[in-house]
Amino acid sequence: MTRGRWFAVVAVAVLIAGAVAGGVRWWGSDGQAERRLQGEVAQMPGVRDVDADGKRVVLADGITVEQAAKVLERLNAGPARGRWVARLGVAEVEALPGSRDTAAALVTYGALRDAEVERIELRDRSLQLQARVTVADASARVGIAQKLFALVAADQSLARRSWEILVNGGGADSAGGDAVWVRRSPLDDPDKTATRLGRLAEALRMPVTLEVGRDGRISDLRTSVGDEREAPAVWSAVESILEKDEVARIEVGEDPDAVTYSGAEGQRIEPALAAVRSLRGAGATAVIEIDMGLTEITAETATLSDVGAVGAAAVEIDPQLELAVTWPEPVEWYGDSAGPAHIVDRPSEVARVAPRLAEIAKLGYVILWGPDLVGVDKRRPYVLAYPKPEGSFRPDELRKVMTLLRGVGWQDTRLVGLVSAPYDCGGEDETGTIVAWIRSTATGRGVVEKTDFSRHGVACAEQIDAARPEAEKTATEAWNSTV
């Protein structure tokens, strides 16, 4: 046999073997069982169509819960169990074990006929039934949630199950972060939640993110407007449905200049809008968040040198509010109170301390000043001058920096954070520094209350613990020598 004929024979043999193998899969036991399953399901009451390729069964309108449950049970018993999907209307569910409740949910949700609803995906999560609903228009989220809640709450076959409805789409985050979320348990009174949802659907004919708890209370309500001039009308609609102790948020403006306003029942947005304009006029490059009670404001400036003017403007808004100002300064600190460079205090204090702290920053330090040190049990005002780059240990500058910190001044005692010792884990990029937090008045002697570390590289406990005593000793001696 020639070489050419030999290759031809081999090629034909390979093709035949492939065909035979495929035939075995289709005509063999699994293939026969699957064809038999499709034939049986197609003949079952309430089945309109069977899509073998898509592993999808379309159910007919008017199907009963018992009929739907039998279809799901039969699909789950086949060789491709767990891959079949049953669909009724725009609702669909995977055929999985324990199909009675999912069948009831499929029949109930599948009865909804609304042009706004594109898809309802049902999931049985053991502890609760979940419906993930996709709508065409984000403004319809609350109204659709209300319709579905009423529909499901009226179904006694689902009364003994906990369930939740998640409505997104229309520009919403597909992961459900931007959605309307309603929950119910068998112990809840559905009438209260249904009544509340009716009010919400009437008032909130706009894209919102909303979470309604099992008691009918709002735990999260957010919306947005692009133009500040629209904000009062939108907030009025939102505020009208708030009850005692409920808080809602409205984002005003376009990124990156958007401001988040938070408010409660009876509060107006106009004073907060005016406050934001005032802070921007004083040099704030952004106002991140403000509450309508004017008790807390978070703003940003271009540099630390601009912070004082923003503090002075905030005094005119309300001298008792808490003002947090940040500026774009790279910080490699990962210990307690980690975050961007910041000053957080009453407006008058922000205006007073900012120029003095700026003198320390000019030496190559990042400043963190705030009312409550994260990671400490009690309320602990703090200041940290963190050297750049990456908290480098500068023993020759300790006394100078401490003297400047004392010159800032503060009432009572404050935790003063000082980089006072290095540590080395022994590997590349596995070095760091210890910060000793000294509790002291601005003019008195102090003692180390705790130590923390930069967490740069590997957190090697043995080397860090070995460096702590030296850090405490160095910081205490240096601080007390400046009295």
Side-chain angles (χ1 to χ4, degrees), residues 5 52 71 76 100 107 134 139 191 203 239 251 259 274 280 299 306 342 344 353 358 408 416 429 438 456 465:
R5 289 180 179 178
V71 172
N76 185 61
R100 171 69 190 186
V107 171
T134 303
S139 301
D191 293 339
E239 185 275 331
E251 189 176 272
V259 183
R280 283 175 170 162
D306 302 317
H342 60 262
V344 183
V353 305
V408 175
V416 183
D429 293 328
I438 294 179
H456 176 64
D465 289 343

Side-chain angles (χ1 to χ4, degrees), residues 79-159:
R81 57 181 175 273
R83 291 162 49 197
W84 282 90
V85 172
R87 183 179 182 93
L88 177 60
V90 294
E92 61 181 39
V93 67
E94 290 184 355
L96 295 171
S99 57
R100 171 69 190 186
D101 289 342
T102 52
L106 181 60
V107 171
T108 299
Y109 283 99
L112 179 71
R113 295 294 182 269
D114 193 300
E116 290 292 348
V117 180
E118 296 178 338
R119 184 186 183 207
I120 303 176
E121 182 183 0
L122 302 173
R123 301 176 181 177
D124 191 343
R125 297 184 175 274
S126 180
L127 295 178
Q128 63 185 4
L129 288 166
Q130 183 189 75
R132 299 180 65 91
V133 186
T134 303
V135 296
D137 183 357
S139 301
R141 292 179 199 147
V142 182
I144 293 301
Q146 184 240 347
K147 287 182 181 180
L148 287 171
F149 185 92
L151 195 67
V152 181
D155 188 345
Q156 292 302 310
S157 65
L158 296 174

Side-chain angles (χ1 to χ4, degrees), residues 103-353:
L106 181 60
V107 171
T108 299
Y109 283 99
L112 179 71
R113 295 294 182 269
D114 193 300
E116 290 292 348
V117 180
E118 296 178 338
R119 184 186 183 207
I120 303 176
E121 182 183 0
L122 302 173
R123 301 176 181 177
D124 191 343
R125 297 184 175 274
S126 180
L127 295 178
Q128 63 185 4
L129 288 166
Q130 183 189 75
R132 299 180 65 91
V133 186
T134 303
V135 296
D137 183 357
S139 301
R141 292 179 199 147
V142 182
I144 293 301
Q146 184 240 347
K147 287 182 181 180
L148 287 171
F149 185 92
L151 195 67
V152 181
D155 188 345
Q156 292 302 310
S157 65
L158 296 174
R160 60 187 178 83
R161 287 295 304 270
S162 294
W163 42 267
E164 64 180 18
I165 299 170
L166 189 69
V167 185
N168 59 19
D173 178 3
S174 61
D178 186 11
V180 174
W181 187 19
V182 185
R183 293 168 291 163
R184 179 182 179 269
S185 78
L187 300 178
D188 298 331
D189 179 2
D191 293 339
K192 183 176 180 180
T193 302
T195 301
R196 189 76 195 280
L197 281 172
R199 290 179 53 211
L200 292 171
E202 184 65 27
L204 303 177
R205 298 176 183 232
M206 63 187 80
V208 298
T209 293
L210 171 67
E211 183 175 344
V212 180
R214 290 175 174 142
D215 56 357
R217 301 273 298 169
I218 293 174
S219 56
D220 184 22
L221 174 55
R222 290 171 280 145
T223 189
S224 62
V225 293
D227 191 329
E228 180 183 308
R229 292 170 295 184
E230 303 172 7
V234 173
W235 172 251
S236 179
V238 172
E239 185 275 331
S240 68
I241 50 82
L242 293 178
E243 296 180 352
K244 185 179 179 181
D245 298 328
E246 291 179 338
V247 175
R249 288 174 287 172
I250 175 173
E251 189 176 272
V252 180
E254 302 291 344
D255 287 336
D257 300 320
V259 183
T260 298
Y261 298 78
S262 59
E265 179 187 21
Q267 292 184 329
R268 296 170 60 244
I269 195 174
E270 288 82 355
L273 291 169
V276 169
R277 289 193 291 270
S278 174
L279 294 177
R280 283 175 170 162
T285 54
V287 178
I288 310 303
E289 190 165 3
I290 180 171
D291 74 286
M292 296 180 202
L294 301 180
T295 62
E296 295 182 356
I297 300 177
T298 302
E300 184 176 298
T301 61
T303 67
L304 174 53
S305 300
D306 302 317
V307 173
V310 172
V315 172
E316 301 301 317
I317 298 170
D318 190 328
Q320 297 304 311
L321 66 82
E322 183 176 270
L323 176 64
V325 187
T326 67
W327 56 96
E329 182 83 63
V331 185
E332 295 294 335
W333 171 243
Y334 301 104
D336 290 340
S337 288
H342 60 262
I343 297 177
V344 183
D345 215 316
R346 300 300 179 198
S348 59
E349 277 295 279
V350 172
R352 183 187 71 83
V353 305

